[in-house]
Amino acid sequence: MTSLVQTIELLKAGNVVALPTETVYGLAGNALNSAAIAKIFATKRRPQDNPLIVHVSGIDMVRNLKLHIPPLAERLAERFWAGALTMVLRREADCPLPHEVSCGLDTAAVRVPDNAIFLEVIKKTMFPLAAPSANLSGSPSPTTAQHVRDDFGEEFPVVDGGACRVGIESTVVMFDDNDAIRILRPGAVTSEMLREYGNVVTDEGGSRHSPGTRYKHYAPRAKVIAVQADAEAFTERTKHERFVIANPETSTLFMFLRQYDQLNADKIFVRLPERSGVGAALYNRIIRAAEFEVTQW
Ligand code: AMP
Ligand code: MG
């Protein structure tokens, strides 16, 4: 396991290190350094047009990055940071983030992770950290240090912070001119929670505003069968199946998908939750892992 001292050294030298957050493990690199950004994309084999989330210690760091903070964003930061809310903000002309972070867009995504180790690393390096999920692009996100090593090799530098509390990626929002909150990716900060702060619109397809939502995502090697059924019907129909997730939860969904792959599952049956509260985020991850096919029982 990589120590905090080694981590700081690696990051200062422009290398990448996997770090725990409360959502999923992140593949962190200096967000101000183009070479570090390039390493993140190469390590993950991430498509070049899928921008990165920049992790900061607080709103002051966002100000230093010369991102435009509308009053609504300020209120959301006060309420939800540190936490699973990523905000897409407009870059001002003197924004020091390299364009590779934003993949050429005129915006950048920022978040304060709710994890003491991660925040300590930002405090020590004093720079913001770009940190997409620490997995090979397309596979289920990593929620333990071992998941990171399963994708990047046993020698890969990762700080072990235990299993991630939330277990799915942050909610991503942007702001419309009319002060609406547009959810680009659902997460643990739900639309019900955001509604108190303004009109909420959801980008179902998402692709126009958030490049990342276009790609195959969260998929294990096994075929995921997303099922709409009540608990009883689901249990009855899957009673002879070995690889089943009857009541998906954010903290264990990706863990089960990865575990079943290791057991050489060919099919994984997952019951879809109600799309309210955090169920909306779970639903999103499951249908994307199932490549948008839904089976009704
Ligand atoms: P990941 O880092 O793997 O959790 O993915 C980051 C998510 O945030 C992806 O869905 C990206 O498309 C989205 N994202 C990051 N930066 C921006 C941006 N500037 N505009 C819109 N979406 C963004
Ligand atoms: Mg990801």
Side-chain angles (χ1 to χ4, degrees):
M1 172 176 151
T2 309
S3 73
L4 222 49
V5 175
Q6 288 169 309
T7 299
I8 312 293
E9 270 173 29
L10 284 166
L11 291 169
K12 283 189 172 165
N15 289 309
V16 295
V17 183
L19 298 177
T21 82
E22 83 282 29
T23 59
V24 302
Y25 274 73
L27 181 62
N30 181 354
L32 299 170
N33 177 338
S34 300
I37 301 305
K39 278 184 195 162
I40 292 176
F41 277 95
T43 305
K44 279 184 62 74
R45 293 186 224 141
R46 186 175 177 96
Q48 292 290 340
D49 61 350
N50 189 5
L52 306 180
I53 296 172
V54 176
H55 293 67
V56 295
S57 53
I59 194 98
D60 288 340
M61 208 170 206
V62 179
R63 274 192 201 99
N64 292 338
L65 289 175
K66 308 290 179 193
L67 297 173
H68 175 71
I69 309 170
L72 179 54
E74 190 119 22
R75 286 199 292 280
L76 292 181
E78 253 166 50
R79 166 68 180 81
F80 295 107
W81 281 359
L85 181 72
T86 295
M87 299 197 279
V88 173
L89 301 175
R90 213 178 58 241
R91 299 167 65 111
E92 286 170 357
D94 48 354
C95 171
L97 291 168
H99 283 281
E100 293 88 333
V101 172
S102 309
C103 298
L105 297 172
D106 60 359
T107 52
V110 284
R111 167 172 114 85
V112 178
D114 187 14
N115 179 288
I117 296 174
F118 204 115
L119 291 173
E120 181 71 14
V121 173
I122 299 178
K123 198 168 131 196
K124 293 251 162 69
T125 58
M126 298 199 297
F127 45 68
L129 292 171
S133 50
N135 57 325
L136 288 171
S137 232
S139 73
S141 296
T143 60
T144 66
Q146 188 56 49
H147 292 163
V148 178
R149 290 189 287 260
D150 290 343
D151 276 21
F152 297 149
E154 288 301 317
E155 300 309 310
F156 196 83
V158 45
V159 178
D160 194 338
C164 300
R165 182 167 47 79
V166 176
I168 58 167
E169 309 79 356
S170 59
T171 305
V172 180
V173 300
M174 69 185 289
F175 304 100
D176 289 358
D177 293 336
N178 54 5
D179 234 18
I181 304 167
R182 181 177 290 274
I183 299 182
L184 303 180
R185 175 176 74 186
V189 173
T190 64
S191 67
E192 289 86 345
M193 289 155 83
L194 292 166
R195 212 169 281 153
E196 283 178 40
Y197 295 83
N199 281 331
V200 175
V201 286
T202 316
D203 253 22
E204 278 298 335
S207 60
R208 190 164 70 87
H209 294 287
S210 192
T213 53
R214 266 202 300 274
Y215 295 103
K216 177 183 154 91
H217 226 311
Y218 320 118
R221 281 192 309 279
K223 184 173 171 56
V224 172
I225 303 178
V227 183
Q228 211 140 43
D230 63 37
E232 218 174 307
F234 184 87
T235 309
E236 178 56 29
R237 294 275 290 261
T238 56
K239 67 183 175 202
H240 300 299
E241 298 293 339
R242 221 178 124 201
F243 304 109
V244 172
I245 305 176
N247 293 299
E249 289 181 53
T250 62
S251 58
T252 52
L253 175 69
F254 291 140
M255 187 197 79
F256 279 126
L257 296 180
R258 282 178 172 265
Q259 200 171 308
Y260 290 165
D261 256 357
Q262 290 202 322
L263 295 169
N264 289 318
D266 60 344
K267 281 185 221 157
I268 305 172
F269 293 87
V270 189
R271 191 164 76 90
L272 287 162
E274 297 282 342
R275 292 174 85 174
S276 58
V278 80
L282 273 167
Y283 188 101
N284 165 275
R285 303 308 190 275
I286 296 163
I287 60 156
R288 303 201 53 212
E291 299 185 39
F292 299 99
E293 271 181 55
V294 175
T295 304
Q296 313 261 357
W297 283 350

